[in-house]
Amino acid sequence: MLPYATTGDAEAALGRALTWAEAAWLRYSASVPDRYLHWPNIAITLVVYTLAPLPLALFDLAAPAVAAPYKLQPKVQHPPATFFRCYMDAVRVSLLIIGPYQLISYPAAKIMDIRTRLPLPSMGEIAAQLTVYFLVEDYLNYWLHRLLHTKWCYEKIHHVHHEFTAPMAYAAWYGHWAEMLILAVPSLAGPALVPCHVTTLWIWFAARLVESLNIHSGFKLPFNAEKYIPFYGGAEHHDYHHYIGGQSKSNFAPVFTYCDYIYGTDKGYRYHKATLAKLKELAGNEVQKGVDNGFNSGKQE
């Protein structure tokens, strides 16, 4: 709850006029207790998870022949029932985890110094914090992901996520409840190290979810983000990890590729890419676009 009764009080405290965003935030949060300002995380993440993958899912289901050239594993076609089962199971598990988390989110946010007061963060501050969060999350997630591929963790926990050797976006949240708890730690580590405004936290959770949906999409589209973001792995990088399966020793990083390169866990992937490039060169113009995108040969761990 903000300590201002009116816009004038807020402007007097800040020593300047409110931006339109700050005025909107004042209207929204002035009478809402702080502990409830963290609850929209549930709605935001569920809306993003439901709607963001929908266009590609409909594209894949309604026009499989048109979609095939852009799919990384074009020979795999998930039926509608599989999409629905994946979505419902993921939502059920996520609510099982997110619901109880909301009961402790406010005390945790207080410890992390997540603020709700004015002023709102600038775009530059948000961009800088999100960059830090992605880097921190990526590094920690890399090592936890490698841990999940040890024999015990894979057999007891991580194998659920790897049921989809050809993932689609809704598989991003598909997994064992324990895995969702484990991988929540890297997502919260950045905000714990670099405290932010609660609105930045909303943006961070939404952005990280969109990125996870992208790398599980199963599509390599002409406008993919890896063309524009340095060291970004994208869908092709992570799809190979699912393609190899449980014995994979490649491509553990969730966002960027530098950890896999530094620690040598991208050798199989680079060999695979080199093999595809060689096949394309030998085949010349006769190579099919689906083969160029897909994981059909040169399989290495």
Side-chain angles (χ1 to χ4, degrees):
M1 183 179 296
L2 297 181
Y4 312 118
T6 66
T7 300
D9 291 341
E11 292 179 337
L14 295 179
R16 60 170 175 79
L18 299 183
T19 66
W20 69 267
E22 289 172 331
W25 180 250
L26 178 64
R27 290 192 298 271
Y28 168 71
S29 62
S31 60
V32 178
D34 281 357
R35 68 173 58 252
Y36 298 127
L37 292 176
H38 296 272
W39 284 57
N41 278 329
I42 295 179
I44 291 170
T45 52
L46 284 177
V47 168
V48 171
Y49 176 72
T50 300
L51 298 182
L54 198 55
L56 282 183
L58 294 176
F59 180 44
D60 195 8
L61 291 171
V66 179
Y70 303 101
K71 291 184 67 173
L72 289 160
Q73 298 187 52
K75 294 181 180 179
V76 179
Q77 181 65 39
H78 297 298
T82 299
F83 277 89
F84 184 73
R85 177 182 65 84
C86 178
Y87 173 80
M88 293 303 297
D89 285 354
V91 168
R92 175 178 52 82
V93 173
S94 64
L95 287 177
L96 177 67
I97 301 303
I98 297 174
Y101 165 75
Q102 292 302 319
L103 299 177
I104 63 170
S105 62
Y106 180 64
K110 295 292 286 185
I111 294 172
M112 294 163 60
D113 196 26
I114 303 298
R115 67 186 191 278
T116 60
R117 60 189 179 275
L118 292 174
L120 290 181
S122 66
M123 294 301 295
E125 179 182 343
I126 293 172
Q129 289 174 335
L130 290 183
T131 300
V132 172
Y133 298 167
F134 269 113
L135 291 172
V136 170
E137 198 271 348
D138 188 69
Y139 190 80
L140 295 178
N141 192 304
Y142 171 85
W143 288 106
L144 287 175
H145 194 180
R146 288 188 67 169
L147 175 66
L148 287 170
H149 273 267
T150 58
K151 180 177 176 59
W152 188 91
C153 287
Y154 186 85
E155 290 179 353
K156 301 297 184 182
I157 300 173
H158 195 48
H159 76 278
V160 177
H161 182 65
H162 272 272
E163 286 180 20
F164 289 94
T165 55
M168 43 39 177
Y170 287 119
W173 265 4
Y174 185 83
H176 195 282
W177 64 266
E179 179 171 342
M180 293 196 72
L181 278 179
I182 292 169
L183 296 182
V185 174
S187 296
L188 293 171
L193 292 171
V194 182
C196 64
H197 196 274
V198 68
T199 54
T200 304
L201 197 66
W202 297 350
I203 296 171
W204 159 236
F205 288 146
R208 181 61 184 92
L209 177 54
V210 167
E211 193 280 330
S212 184
L213 293 170
N214 175 57
I215 65 172
H216 288 90
S217 69
F219 279 86
K220 184 179 180 181
L221 300 171
F223 47 84
N224 272 333
E226 57 263 35
K227 291 184 177 181
Y228 311 103
I229 302 176
F231 306 109
Y232 179 59
E236 187 172 16
H237 185 265
H238 192 70
D239 206 279
Y240 179 79
H241 175 80
H242 276 263
Y243 172 67
I244 295 298
Q247 302 304 312
S248 178
K249 298 180 178 64
S250 285
N251 298 15
F252 294 106
V255 183
F256 303 107
T257 59
Y258 68 92
C259 279
D260 282 307
Y261 180 78
I262 291 172
Y263 299 113
T265 48
D266 66 347
K267 293 179 181 178
Y269 178 64
R270 286 188 281 126
Y271 174 85
H272 166 79
K273 292 287 287 182
T275 301
L276 285 184
K278 186 65 175 178
L279 289 174
K280 182 178 179 180
E281 180 183 349
L282 292 174
N285 294 329
E286 294 182 4
V287 69
Q288 295 180 358
K289 192 173 184 180
V291 173
D292 183 39
N293 282 348
F295 299 134
N296 300 305
S297 62
K299 182 175 179 179
Q300 296 286 316
E301 292 185 0

